[in-house]
Amino acid sequence: MKIKDFLLMILLLFSCHKKEKSFYEIKSINKDSSQIIWGNSTIKNSQNFENFFLDKDKIKTKWKNENFIILQRGTGSEAWINLILPINKNEKVLQTDQVLAFDSINNIIVRQNYNSKKYPFQLIKLNNLEKDSIRFETKNCESVNIINCIDKIDFNEKALIINWTTSNKFEKNGKTEIAVYPLEKFFKK
């Protein structure tokens, strides 16, 4: 094999494994409506938002991988909205609020579940929108919004981990509790 052929083969191998770079763009339609365009070098989607203006200066990329771009926008209070852009042909934007963490390996989000004090967190598989609510004792949280009692929330390879800060953390007897929710429970459902 000639050196030229060998180098060409190496170049082809590296170009085949190149990751697609995703993008999004927000365009104003009029004073009340906007359009979002997203995708990668091979897929392009768009969706109009009537009577909902997406201010591109107030939206930021929170997380992304080769399957999803997750955007976040504050609402002027302790709440925020998230726009989840699937990098698939002809998929629509999933709009939700209070996404707290993203598992970029399994394409799972965890969000605050407003509908239940006993089950304050909800897992959603973004590939099929399957949901599961998580039971977690919110000990000593005096805030109306339980997010104020979360020190950290994140995924590792096998679990959702919540570091919960009790209201008296900075006092002598205060402590941080850790809750672990194994993802295998979620995948078995």
Side-chain angles (χ1 to χ4, degrees):
M1 179 182 272
K2 296 180 183 176
I3 292 178
K4 181 180 167 185
D5 293 334
F6 178 74
L7 291 174
L8 182 60
M9 187 169 64
I10 296 291
L11 180 65
L12 286 172
L13 283 173
F14 281 114
S15 66
C16 290
H17 297 290
K18 188 172 110 179
K19 280 192 169 185
E20 295 277 346
K21 187 172 180 177
S22 59
F23 72 92
Y24 77 92
E25 177 183 0
I26 297 171
K27 293 183 175 182
S28 174
I29 296 173
N30 58 42
K31 67 178 185 157
D32 295 327
S33 302
S34 51
Q35 178 184 51
I36 188 163
I37 302 163
W38 75 96
N40 58 31
S41 62
T42 57
I43 295 171
K44 184 176 178 182
N45 291 311
S46 69
Q47 185 172 330
N48 290 348
F49 288 89
E50 303 297 327
N51 301 315
F52 185 73
F53 185 74
L54 296 172
D55 186 345
K56 63 183 173 187
D57 295 328
K58 294 183 180 179
I59 292 180
K60 65 179 183 176
T61 302
K62 186 69 177 169
W63 298 283
K64 71 179 182 174
N65 65 10
E66 64 276 358
N67 300 308
F68 297 93
I69 303 170
I70 301 177
L71 306 177
Q72 186 174 29
R73 181 189 189 284
T75 62
S77 66
E78 287 187 343
W80 60 88
I81 61 168
N82 295 94
L83 301 175
I84 301 170
L85 313 175
I87 309 294
N88 293 321
K89 192 75 173 149
N90 298 323
E91 290 288 327
K92 295 293 181 194
V93 172
L94 171 64
Q95 183 177 332
T96 188
D97 54 6
Q98 305 297 84
V99 174
L100 304 170
F102 173 53
D103 177 352
S104 63
I105 296 168
N106 297 304
N107 295 313
I108 299 172
I109 59 170
V110 62
R111 62 177 295 279
Q112 184 176 353
N113 184 5
Y114 296 103
N115 299 326
S116 174
K117 282 194 173 224
K118 280 187 170 183
Y119 297 92
F121 303 106
Q122 184 179 57
L123 289 171
I124 301 173
K125 289 182 196 175
L126 295 178
N127 295 334
N128 60 11
L129 301 181
E130 185 179 340
K131 298 175 184 175
D132 188 22
S133 293
I134 301 171
R135 183 175 174 84
F136 180 69
E137 294 296 325
T138 55
K139 298 175 186 172
N140 300 322
C141 184
E142 295 174 4
S143 175
V144 174
N145 190 345
I146 62 166
I147 292 173
N148 293 329
C149 294
I150 296 172
D151 187 35
K152 183 180 179 186
I153 185 166
D154 205 0
F155 288 93
N156 69 16
E157 293 175 11
K158 297 182 179 185
L160 171 67
I161 301 167
I162 302 169
N163 291 346
W164 184 261
T165 304
T166 59
S167 58
N168 58 354
K169 177 177 178 172
F170 297 107
E171 294 177 8
K172 199 176 204 178
N173 297 326
K175 63 181 178 180
T176 298
E177 300 171 39
I178 298 175
V180 177
Y181 182 83
L183 292 178
E184 67 184 24
K185 287 183 181 180
F186 187 40
F187 287 117
K188 286 183 178 178
K189 293 184 178 209

